[in-house]
Amino acid sequence: MDHRLKSFWGLSVHFYSCNEHCGSSRIAKMLTLPSMETPIKPVSLHKTQFCSPFSSMSAFSLPATFRVKQRASKLFVMPRIRALDAAQPFDYEARIMEAHEKSSKLKIGIVGFGNYGQFLAKALIRQGHTVLAHSRSDYSDIAVKIGVSFFRDPHDLCEEHPEVILLCTSIISTESVLRSLPTQRLKRNTLFVDVLSVKEFPRNLFLQILPQEFDVLCTHPMFGPESGKDGWKGLPFVYEKVRIGSDEYKEDRCQKFLDIFAKEGCRMVEMSCSEHDRHAAESQFITHTVGRMLGKLELQSTPINTKGYETLLNLVENTSGDSFDLYYGLFMYNVNSTGQIERLDAAFDSLKRQLYGHLHDILRKQLFGNGKGSENLQRLAPPAVSRNGYGQEATACEVKQ
Ligand code: NAP
């Protein structure tokens, strides 16, 4: 078989005994023709890994003879092979790699394409997954820019049969959104995932509303567009496999989804939804509450910021970007949050009493010294602070009483 290739430096290259599948560009890539000064010799190649569809799996012995001729006179040159393992379109290995790549990709339908839905979609697209989206508002233009197919009608999204539905709606709208989704249009075999910042609530909702055949994975990536803007390495990703079918396909699909976050370097934490909510109320809810309280003070940067103050300013910035719906959801839909608000309240109260109690003590000493008469003033002192579990020292008043 004779494949005529491109001209190099006035040379036409002909290949003989070359497999039909050999593409000219491939061969051209693999050859570096020597300069015209190079002594020209006839050559035949043996034991060369070269342009067979089977060649990459094992060294394929191809007795290829090359004859290179100049337009008029016949010349033979020694081709030099430059890239033996370059991925080639007809490589068996490349095909296997391609098939493997495809099989590790998911078709994911995002429901709720607001701030967080878009943030996640960018990472999913970057990793090569197919992403569809639906939201209450029309995000068609943004979706095009990210590479996402946007569906105004949830029926259309479901008819695309995504393997995964990723719920990114606000916590407080989750129930109505879920109940209005035409789940009958999805494949019976669909994985439902949520990223809500509270976990018991969606878990119970999924189990209550979704058909028994659907798999359920509850997750909480514990970072957002602000805290995760420089990458997700080391950031916690909490999940509970609430209901994952035992067949291989379902387990594999769930794992592929989790791998998205593992590949980005997240710290994967498997934890029950109730345990998550307990920890999150103590950490995340308090963080958001303090951030919002400080936000109300409208703190400004000063020329003499301490590191601690910079931390506070960062906290305000980190939390102010989130919607009030999100914060309200953290409060309303996590049973542990109400207790935390009360603890914060009591702690601030206790701190004030401690300060004022101390002040009273000093004032008393100034007014009366150590002499008599201070007993009368003691009656005016604020009531004693109980040892309420916050680990605080008793106030001066408390000691005296
Ligand atoms: P969000 O205010 O909690 O949610 C906004 C999303 O909810 C938008 O997609 C919005 O749709 C949708 N939505 C709101 N009300 C709706 C209603 N009545 N009917 C239908 N859809 C409604 O802000 P977010 O930051 O994007 O958070 C989305 C989810 O991700 C929340 O569950 C949150 O807990 C979770 N999450 C957020 C972060 C974060 O850092 N932001 C981190 C981890 C997890 P439209 O835009 O179309 O109106």
Side-chain angles (χ1 to χ4, degrees):
M1 192 154 308
D2 185 344
H3 292 270
R4 174 167 276 239
L5 296 184
K6 294 173 187 167
S7 285
F8 290 94
W9 305 297
L11 296 171
S12 313
V13 186
H14 290 253
F15 292 87
Y16 293 91
S17 311
C18 189
N19 190 297
E20 183 130 36
H21 294 287
C22 292
S24 62
S25 62
R26 174 176 183 208
I27 295 164
K29 264 193 226 159
M30 296 172 71
L31 298 177
T32 299
L33 294 176
S35 69
M36 292 301 287
E37 289 82 47
T38 310
I40 294 164
K41 295 178 195 156
V43 65
S44 75
L45 292 180
H46 298 283
K47 288 268 176 205
T48 308
Q49 204 170 6
F50 192 58
C51 69
S52 156
F54 317 106
S55 64
S56 302
M57 295 306 288
S58 59
F60 181 72
S61 176
L62 179 69
T65 306
F66 299 92
R67 199 180 57 186
V68 181
K69 60 180 184 183
Q70 204 165 23
R71 280 196 182 95
S73 59
K74 243 184 188 178
L75 291 169
F76 294 90
V77 295
M78 170 75 93
R80 203 164 60 223
I81 294 170
R82 217 167 39 173
L84 277 174
D85 57 351
Q88 304 303 322
F90 302 106
D91 256 6
Y92 187 57
E93 187 182 19
R95 281 185 180 183
I96 288 178
M97 287 289 287
E98 198 182 316
H100 173 73
E101 271 284 293
K102 261 192 195 156
S103 72
S104 65
K105 301 304 173 203
L106 290 166
K107 188 173 182 181
I108 302 171
I110 296 180
V111 175
F113 201 54
N115 189 26
Y116 206 62
Q118 291 168 30
F119 170 68
L120 288 183
K122 287 175 197 157
L124 301 178
I125 292 285
R126 201 175 55 238
Q127 285 197 17
H129 300 282
T130 303
V131 183
L132 327 170
H134 161 74
S135 208
R136 175 180 60 168
S137 314
D138 183 7
Y139 289 112
S140 306
D141 293 345
I142 294 174
V144 169
K145 284 184 197 141
I146 303 176
V148 170
S149 311
F150 189 81
F151 297 85
R152 290 229 61 190
D153 189 328
H155 289 258
D156 293 335
L157 176 108
C158 292
E159 280 173 359
E160 290 290 319
H161 290 166
E163 295 158 281
V164 179
I165 290 285
L166 181 58
L167 209 62
C168 297
T169 50
S170 64
I171 299 167
I172 57 175
S173 69
T174 301
E175 180 161 7
S176 62
V177 171
L178 198 58
R179 287 196 188 278
S180 65
L181 258 191
T183 50
Q184 74 281 4
R185 298 207 184 279
L186 290 164
K187 279 197 292 190
R188 273 160 47 85
N189 189 351
T190 302
L191 168 64
F192 260 76
V193 184
D194 82 288
V195 292
L196 270 59
S197 309
V198 294
K199 292 275 51 81
E200 273 210 277
F201 167 66
R203 178 188 192 275
N204 296 341
L205 210 58
F206 279 168
L207 292 176
Q208 191 189 329
I209 297 176
L210 293 177
Q212 190 65 32
E213 301 77 35
F214 288 0
D215 282 2
V216 174
L217 174 68
C218 286
T219 79
H220 184 196
M222 309 233 20
F223 48 88
E226 191 53 40
S227 50
K229 66 179 176 218
D230 299 324
W232 304 353
K233 202 165 186 328
L235 300 177
F237 179 89
V238 179
Y239 66 95
E240 182 185 351
K241 294 178 181 176
V242 175
R243 186 172 71 202
I244 304 296
S246 54
D247 72 73
E248 204 183 323
Y249 170 74
K250 289 182 167 190
E251 281 171 3
D252 193 42
R253 178 177 57 189
C254 176
Q255 197 50 52
K256 274 185 213 166
F257 184 85
L258 292 173
D259 282 347
I260 294 169
F261 296 87
K263 267 187 202 160
E264 297 287 329
C266 288
R267 185 161 58 82
M268 307 299 284
V269 185
E270 189 164 9
M271 179 183 281
S272 75
C273 289
S274 59
E275 195 181 350
H276 164 276
D277 282 2
R278 252 183 294 120
H279 291 306
E282 283 169 10
S283 56
Q284 192 191 24
F285 179 68
I286 293 219
T287 308
H288 277 252
T289 304
V290 173
R292 280 183 181 270
M293 265 163 42
L294 294 175
K296 289 198 184 292
L297 294 179
E298 297 181 358
L299 302 177
Q300 301 294 327
S301 186
T302 75
I304 52 165
N305 287 354
T306 59
K307 286 202 167 171
Y309 188 63
E310 292 280 355
T311 310
L312 292 189
L313 292 178
N314 284 339
L315 175 63
V316 175
E317 197 180 315
N318 263 323
T319 45
S320 61
D322 292 328
S323 69
F324 187 78
D325 277 1
L326 196 160
Y327 178 58
Y328 181 63
L330 295 180
F331 174 65
M332 268 303 284
Y333 292 84
N334 184 344
V335 287
N336 308 287
S337 294
T338 330
Q340 294 304 329
I341 285 260
E342 277 159 15
R343 275 190 73 204
L344 272 173
D345 213 23
F348 189 47
D349 215 35
S350 160
L351 203 59
K352 278 192 296 186
R353 283 165 191 272
Q354 197 173 354
L355 284 174
Y356 292 132
H358 197 66
L359 192 64
H360 267 267
D361 206 32
I362 290 170
L363 272 176
R364 256 195 318 267
K365 277 184 185 151
Q366 280 179 357
L367 284 172
F368 303 104
N370 288 329
K372 296 165 192 168
S374 61
E375 292 85 2
N376 296 334
L377 197 68
Q378 277 184 21
R379 288 197 207 109
L380 300 172
V385 177
S386 61
R387 291 176 182 276
N388 55 14
Y390 296 112
Q392 290 167 348
E393 292 297 319
T395 62
C397 299
E398 208 172 10
V399 171
K400 279 186 178 159
Q401 282 166 0

